[in-house]
Every structure is written in structure tokens, then in C-alpha cells.
Amino acid sequence: MGFVLAGVGGISAGLQAAQTQSKLEISKVEEYWAKSGLDESELRKLVNDKTCHLSEKYFLACVNSVNNALALTSERLGLTGEIWPAHAETTSLDNFKEKETLQPFSKIYKEHINTSFSFDKLWDLILKKADNKIPARYLLAQGINGYLSVSKDPHTYILPMGYFDQVSSTSERSPFFVGLSFEKDNYGQLRIKKVVRNSDAFQGGLEVGDVVSSLNGQKADSLSLADASQMLRDRNIRIFNFIIKRDGATLVKNIQRSYRVLSQVYSEVVTGARNFGVITISKFSTNTCNEVRDAILGMADKNISGLVLDLRDNPGGRLSEAACLTGLFIGQDKTIYSVQYFDLSKSNEVVLTSAERIYSGALAVLVNTNSASAAELFAGAIQEYRRGIVIGAKTFGKGTFQEIESWEKSEKIGYFRTKGFYLLPSGRSTQFYGVTPDIELPEAVTSDASEENNYINPIKPVNLVSSHKNLVLPLQTCTKQNSLSLTDVVISKAIDNLSCTELMSFVALQYNSNETAPE
């Protein structure tokens, strides 16, 4: 079975109900911004007609500043320098592709027709749109962050310290989260992009790929992504009435918000002729490692033949949890990553795994383009130690770290500045390049929104290792495949590979449990 330690522990039910009440008291980020003390002069110092026309980089930073703020008001900056209603299929900070949006403005600058843009006047108009729902300071913050994304790098930003301390740093889900996200397809239809297991949306019967015809009585074709997403975030709405289209049928689904704090970890045992464990980690949050440990130990009597760790769409989170989690599979005091500062006068810092190994069996790690940061470090470490196989699509490519400083005049605002790179045990950088799976699956590709494709000014490592020699797996030798029929094709194919005795024997021979860091 591959278990190193025996133990008793149930599979996580996915709920942290005891924390729910305190979480319900947490304000929305815009409310934190309203009390932050952020001053209009702090934006005007960066975004003004003089600075914005000094170079193409500054021009695009200013355009991004305006578009970032207008995303809150369901508007966009037109190519003639005027504000227009946004295209419904593209308006959403959640779906905002900076590089794609800015490319036409780059052409405008190169053709010297940018002089009609008055950023001073544009921001005059934007600030007039402020109200109780969208405070002026929230608009200013979005504008500053849009500017910093291009003028500095995509991961340098400002944030209220109160929000960071109470919400962002914990990486836990909000009790207002219903477990659902949208996208607009090529036909402009509002479609369900993701449904989280055990969530309100999941229990209400919504499925990935459902086309939304109406939401709470509003026709979906009249809703932008921002409108639909904002409706889900409105904490005063308890019931959501969906009319959806699925496989040619029209269905009505009522989703009731339960105000639960949903765990970032979900686990199950897929049963058949052979059993396999599947653990999904949506984000590395407080206690993730312990929850995964409990889930694995809870499978001890299930006689599992292999374990799938699903990190698809995992944006990262707490690195200490990733260091702990890696130890569950490779043991304690092994290098998982190091920190290299841009400032060469500072020494590199090496981070070791912090948990004892409890599982030594067959292991597959699933990733996709939305797997980022700590998720990439975990997958990359497992790959470099040859501890398991990484399956899916190339990861996002976020391998930089940020340190907090005070922003300008206000100690209530944190300035998160990019200070260096995270490096995998071999010294390889995940920044920009991501982690390339050992087995790539077309079915795992969800979007082209990687670090390279999403941002116009990403940091590209120089003089750092950027590639890794993947194992040449003997896939042609597999004589027996799993016969399970699962709706998730990627998990099904991962289990197929775990079912291949020849493949898993080959991978097991590559792993050296005494190695403290791969060469």
C-alpha cells in the first residue's frame, strides 16, 4: 500500500464550521480600502499626462491603470482615449488578460497616435463614478496596482494590511463562497467554468460546462462576467436561481448559500478492481498539510494501489504548508526550495521539508496552467526527486517572492514588492517557465493564461536554470490499464498510469530516499 506509518484519521469532510461565525464578520476588500487612508495624490503622482507619455512602458502602465479601475464599473478604455461600456464577454478582473488588452495600445504608441489620451481627465471621470458600493479609494488602489503591474512587475502590488492579516494571509475560503466560477465562451455565452466539490453549487447540481441562460431573473446575455461574479459575491443574496442548458435540455437549479467555510482539501477513494486515493488541494492554507496527512492515514485500511494529488487550478498559498506537505512523501529535512534575492549582497536561503514521510507508494501529481507559486514548487520538487510523476499541462510560471513594506504615507497599506526568485532543489527557476509535466495531456489544458501569456512585463530569469531533463517514461510497456470510468478524464488517465505496474516500478527505481537534494 505504500504507507510508512500506521494511524487513524478520517477523510476530511471539507468543512470548518467552527470558524464560520468569525469569518462572517470580515469585511469585503473594498471596505478595507475605504478606511485605508489612501490619498488621490498617490495615484496622480504615478499616473499623469506628463509621466504617461514619456515612454511606451509608462503609457501602457497608465492604460492598465485606467482599465484596472474601469473593470469595477463594467467599462473599458477605448482606442481613441475615451471610456466605453465593456464587452460583456471580457469584463472581469477574474478573467483580465493584461497582455491581450494592452497589445492594441502598444500599436497606438508605436504609431504616435497616443497624444489624444489625457490620463488626468480620464481619472477625473473615473473618480466621479465612486459611490458606497465602489469607494473612491478602491478605484485608486486598482489604478495603482494596474500601473505597478506594468511599470514594476505583475506581482508587485498594494493591499490594506487589515485585509492581509485577517483574510489574504490565511489563504482560507470565505464563508460567502458558493463554489462556482464563470467564463464567457467563444459565442459570448455565460458558462460555468469550475464547480468545487462539496460546495453549495456542487450540492445544488451545477456542473462544469453548464450554459447559464439566466441568473436570479436576469438574462445571462445581458450580464458581463463582472456582473455575474459580483452577484455571487453579494453576501446579502442567499438563494441563486439558475436556468441552465445542458446536453440540449433546459434545467432549473436553485443554489442556497450555506455560509460554510469550505476546506481547501477534498479527498476520496475511487473503488474498483483496485482502489486509488484522490486528494484535491485547491490552495495551500492553514492546516492543509495536517488535513492531507489525515486523509492519507484515513485511506490506510482501503488498500489503495496509488495516490493522485490534484493541484489543478491551485494558485499557491502558504509555503510552509507546501514544505510540510512535501515531507509527507519524501521525508523530513530535504531541500524543497531556496530563495534567491535580486540583491546579490543577500545570501540565498534554503527551506527544508518539515514533516516525516507517511506514504511511499505510487504517486501522481496533477497540474495545469492555473497551478502556480507554491503548487509549482511542490510539483517541481516531487519531479526532481523522482518521487512520483507529474501529469497534466505546463504550470503558470509564478516563481518570484514579495516582501512587505509600508506604502507611502499610510501604515495601513502594505506594499508587496518583488525581491527575488524561488528556486527548486536543483536550482531551477519556475518563474516564467513553469513546470513541464512528465506526461502532458491535452485534456488538462484549460487556458493560455500563463505568466508568459497573461502579462506584458513579466520577469524573465537571467543566468538561472530554466529547464529540467524529464524522465523518459516507458509508457509503451504498460500491459494493464485501469478499467474505471470517471467523468474527470485527467484523473482517469492519471489512475491509468498508476495502474501500470511496469511504469510505477520504473519510477520507484529512480527515487533515492537518502538524497537530501537532487543533483
Side-chain angles (χ1 to χ4, degrees):
M1 291 186 295
F3 290 95
V4 177
L5 301 176
V8 178
I11 295 176
S12 172
L15 300 178
Q16 300 169 342
Q19 303 175 22
T20 301
Q21 189 55 46
S22 62
K23 297 284 183 183
L24 288 170
E25 306 300 325
I26 292 176
S27 301
K28 294 183 287 187
V29 66
E30 51 264 43
E31 294 170 3
Y32 281 95
W33 276 121
K35 301 174 184 177
S36 67
L38 185 65
D39 192 83
E40 182 180 338
S41 63
E42 295 170 60
L43 175 123
R44 298 286 190 175
K45 184 169 65 175
L46 301 173
V47 183
N48 56 73
D49 285 341
K50 181 178 179 181
T51 301
C52 292
H53 294 284
L54 288 176
S55 69
E56 180 182 2
K57 181 178 179 180
Y58 284 125
F59 176 69
L60 295 179
C62 293
V63 169
N64 206 46
S65 169
V66 169
N67 269 330
N68 225 39
L70 291 178
L72 299 177
T73 62
S74 296
E75 295 171 302
R76 65 183 175 90
L77 181 61
L79 299 181
T80 55
E82 298 176 336
I83 295 174
W84 296 99
H87 297 304
E89 65 270 19
T90 59
T91 309
S92 174
L93 284 176
D94 298 333
N95 211 50
F96 186 69
K97 289 185 180 179
E98 177 184 286
K99 187 174 183 178
E100 181 181 307
T101 303
L102 293 181
Q103 281 175 340
F105 293 95
S106 177
K107 184 177 180 181
I108 284 172
Y109 188 87
K110 287 180 171 66
E111 294 178 354
H112 307 291
I113 53 177
N114 58 297
T115 53
S116 62
F117 287 72
S118 172
F119 292 95
D120 290 331
K121 291 180 180 178
L122 283 168
W123 269 100
D124 288 341
L125 293 172
I126 290 170
L127 291 173
K128 287 179 181 179
K129 301 173 186 296
D131 53 26
N132 291 334
K133 188 177 179 182
I134 309 176
R137 285 172 177 158
Y138 188 30
L139 289 167
L140 292 170
Q142 290 301 130
I144 290 172
N145 282 335
Y147 180 87
L148 293 174
S149 180
V150 177
S151 66
K152 300 294 184 183
D153 75 277
H155 306 293
T156 290
Y157 61 97
I158 60 174
L159 189 72
M161 287 306 301
Y163 185 82
F164 173 76
D165 292 338
Q166 294 187 41
V167 182
S168 183
S169 63
T170 67
S171 299
E172 294 172 358
R173 285 195 172 113
S174 163
F176 304 101
F177 179 64
V178 296
L180 177 67
S181 64
F182 297 118
E183 64 182 352
K184 287 277 189 173
D185 63 20
N186 294 333
Y187 302 100
Q189 299 178 114
L190 185 66
R191 189 180 292 270
I192 293 177
K193 178 182 180 181
K194 184 177 181 181
V195 177
V196 176
R197 293 293 297 267
N198 203 33
S199 65
D200 299 333
F202 179 83
Q203 293 183 346
L206 292 177
E207 297 180 3
V208 173
D210 287 344
V211 175
V212 181
S213 296
S214 76
L215 175 57
N216 282 5
Q218 295 191 46
K219 291 184 177 181
D221 57 10
S222 67
L223 294 172
S224 68
L225 276 172
D227 294 333
S229 299
Q230 181 60 42
M231 197 178 297
L232 291 184
R233 289 193 292 265
D234 188 337
R235 60 187 64 186
N236 297 315
I237 301 177
R238 186 168 188 125
I239 296 177
F240 299 92
N241 175 264
F242 283 83
I243 298 178
I244 61 169
K245 294 178 181 178
R246 181 192 301 165
D247 298 328
T250 298
L251 306 172
V252 177
K253 300 288 183 181
N254 290 313
I255 309 304
Q256 183 164 340
R257 198 199 299 270
S258 62
Y259 299 97
R260 300 172 295 160
V261 177
L262 198 66
S263 172
Q264 303 282 11
V265 176
Y266 179 85
S267 62
E268 61 183 328
V269 174
V270 178
T271 59
R274 298 166 68 187
N275 296 341
F276 293 89
V278 178
I279 300 177
T280 300
I281 307 173
S282 301
K283 195 172 185 179
F284 291 98
S285 63
T286 306
N287 212 39
T288 290
C289 183
N290 284 334
E291 289 188 52
V292 173
R293 179 190 286 110
D294 289 346
I296 294 172
L297 294 176
M299 296 174 183
D301 61 349
K302 307 296 183 182
N303 195 30
I304 63 172
S305 297
L307 181 64
V308 177
L309 279 183
D310 189 354
L311 300 185
R312 289 174 296 170
D313 301 319
N314 183 319
R318 299 177 70 91
L319 286 161
S320 58
E321 295 295 321
C324 176
L325 185 71
T326 311
L328 300 181
F329 305 99
I330 67 173
Q332 201 167 19
D333 296 328
K334 307 287 183 69
T335 299
I336 173 178
Y337 68 90
S338 61
V339 171
Q340 179 174 300
Y341 284 88
F342 297 149
D343 183 351
L344 297 181
S345 67
K346 293 187 176 183
S347 301
N348 288 8
E349 301 171 6
V350 177
V351 177
L352 305 179
T353 54
S354 58
E356 294 183 1
R357 183 163 60 121
I358 67 167
Y359 178 76
S360 61
L363 176 66
V365 179
L366 306 187
V367 294
N368 65 7
T369 311
N370 296 322
S371 304
S373 194
E376 295 177 279
L377 294 178
F378 174 84
I382 293 296
Q383 185 181 67
E384 290 192 346
Y385 278 102
R386 312 295 198 191
R387 174 59 188 87
I389 52 174
V390 178
I391 300 175
K394 183 179 175 182
T395 62
F396 185 82
K398 197 279 184 184
T400 58
F401 67 90
Q402 290 68 43
E403 292 184 350
I404 311 173
E405 304 171 0
S406 292
W407 170 258
E408 297 287 332
K409 307 172 185 176
S410 178
E411 294 183 355
K412 293 181 179 180
I413 301 171
Y415 182 27
F416 294 75
R417 291 184 63 187
T418 299
K419 291 296 186 72
F421 297 108
Y422 290 124
L423 304 180
L424 289 169
S426 66
R428 175 170 52 129
S429 172
T430 59
Q431 171 60 23
F432 192 81
Y433 300 103
V435 173
T436 300
D438 299 302
I439 300 175
E440 296 189 68
L441 299 178
E443 298 90 344
V445 178
T446 56
S447 70
D448 61 352
S450 63
E451 179 88 359
E452 178 180 5
N453 294 326
N454 205 55
Y455 300 114
I456 202 162
N457 189 34
I459 295 175
K460 190 173 181 178
V462 178
N463 298 326
L464 288 177
V465 179
S466 60
S467 61
H468 170 71
K469 187 176 181 180
N470 286 13
L471 286 172
V472 179
L473 299 172
L475 299 176
Q476 70 282 358
T477 65
C478 292
T479 56
K480 185 177 180 181
Q481 298 290 301
N482 162 59
S483 59
L484 295 171
S485 178
L486 303 176
T487 56
D488 191 317
V489 176
V490 177
I491 290 180
S492 183
K493 290 194 174 184
I495 291 177
D496 278 347
N497 285 291
L498 290 176
S499 301
C500 176
T501 304
E502 295 89 347
L503 174 60
M504 289 300 103
S505 296
F506 172 82
V507 173
L509 288 172
Q510 310 305 309
Y511 174 59
N512 179 1
S513 61
N514 296 318
E515 193 175 32
T516 57
E519 298 179 357

